[in-house]
Amino acid sequence: MKMQFWSKTTTGKWAAGLTLAFIVLMALKMVGLGASIRLPLPTPVLAMMGVIGFIMGLIAVIKHKDRALLTLLSIPVGIIIIAWTLAEIAFPH
């Protein structure tokens, strides 16, 4: 089975795009914490982008049998976001 990098389905493209946007924007936000760069998007909005990418990725994989690498990347990233959010709720600091 040959694996693609980018999806051919619309759902897979949305999943990959939202996940990549989440990763890039969170990286900019994390690097920008000590610098003068401030993103206008709050972290919960970025987390929702990642979770929506996760849901779209699940739909693409289950319904459309999408096996593109970036579509599959959306699933572990979404699981990490959900686990992180649940841990923040369970153990606030």
Side-chain angles (χ1 to χ4, degrees):
M1 179 169 105
K2 184 180 175 191
M3 183 172 276
Q4 299 172 286
F5 185 71
W6 190 256
S7 176
K8 290 185 179 179
T9 64
T10 305
T11 312
K13 289 177 184 176
W14 272 100
L18 286 170
T19 302
L20 289 175
F22 166 77
I23 291 170
V24 168
L25 290 173
M26 278 304 288
L28 286 174
K29 194 169 183 79
M30 299 287 274
V31 170
L33 287 178
S36 62
I37 300 172
R38 295 285 185 214
L39 289 178
L41 295 172
T43 304
V45 172
L46 296 178
M48 282 305 297
M49 281 177 39
V51 170
I52 292 170
F54 167 70
I55 294 168
M56 298 287 279
L58 283 179
I59 292 170
V61 168
I62 293 170
K63 185 177 177 187
H64 303 295
K65 306 289 188 244
D66 193 352
R67 298 292 185 255
L69 183 64
L70 291 178
T71 304
L72 294 174
L73 174 70
S74 68
I75 295 172
V77 170
I79 290 172
I80 291 171
I81 295 168
I82 292 169
W84 187 281
T85 304
L86 292 176
E88 285 289 329
I89 292 170
F91 307 106
H93 42 81

